[in-house]
Amino acid sequence: MEHAVLAVWIVTSLAGLHLLVLWLAGGGLRQQETKVTAFPSALVLAHPALAVAGLGLWVAFLGTGDSSYAWAAFGVLTAVALLGFTLFTRWLGGGRHARGAERRFPVVAVALHGIAGVATFVLVLLAATMADRL
């Protein structure tokens, strides 16, 4: 199961990377100065940065078998999920929220990233729980 988590986490990361590239290519950082976007750069950049840190903790868990790494990864992933939910609600709100580079996000990419993110969250929780029992 631990390796399935890694696979799903990588799929989630790739979909998220696609969205980040679209946001940057659409001028997401430039729009910060004019306040055309409701996606603050700190929020947009913290979400993937924490996700990468959590993935690193998960890889440490895979390498050592120490369940404390799995639980640390879950803790970081909880923060990532909260940031992601904030981004999603701002994007979903449309109108004043989705008026910058983020309005060009393909619905399929957002859905894939969100569904894979939820799957990652649940699988990490289950795997961390099972790792404690071994």
Side-chain angles (χ1 to χ4, degrees):
M1 174 180 240
E2 294 87 4
H3 290 88
V5 170
L6 182 62
V8 173
W9 205 321
I10 289 170
V11 169
T12 305
S13 298
L14 291 174
L17 180 62
H18 175 67
L19 293 171
L20 180 61
V21 167
L22 288 176
W23 185 76
L24 290 170
L29 285 177
R30 289 189 309 268
Q31 293 170 349
Q32 299 298 306
E33 298 166 1
T34 60
K35 305 221 186 284
V36 174
T37 181
F39 277 26
S41 59
L43 178 63
V44 172
L45 299 176
H47 178 67
L50 284 173
V52 168
L55 181 57
L57 288 166
W58 190 257
V59 169
F61 163 65
L62 291 177
T64 65
D66 184 352
S67 67
S68 62
Y69 286 118
W71 284 111
F74 178 72
V76 171
L77 193 57
T78 300
V80 171
L82 291 172
L83 292 173
F85 184 73
T86 301
L87 288 166
F88 177 68
T89 56
R90 286 176 172 231
W91 174 79
L92 191 61
R96 67 181 183 92
H97 289 301
R99 53 187 181 182
E102 61 273 6
R103 79 169 169 237
R104 295 184 190 96
F105 288 165
V107 174
V108 172
V110 173
L112 173 64
H113 183 62
I115 291 167
V118 170
T120 302
F121 185 84
V122 170
L123 289 173
V124 168
L125 176 60
L126 292 173
T129 303
M130 288 178 16
D132 272 346
R133 293 183 182 178
L134 299 177

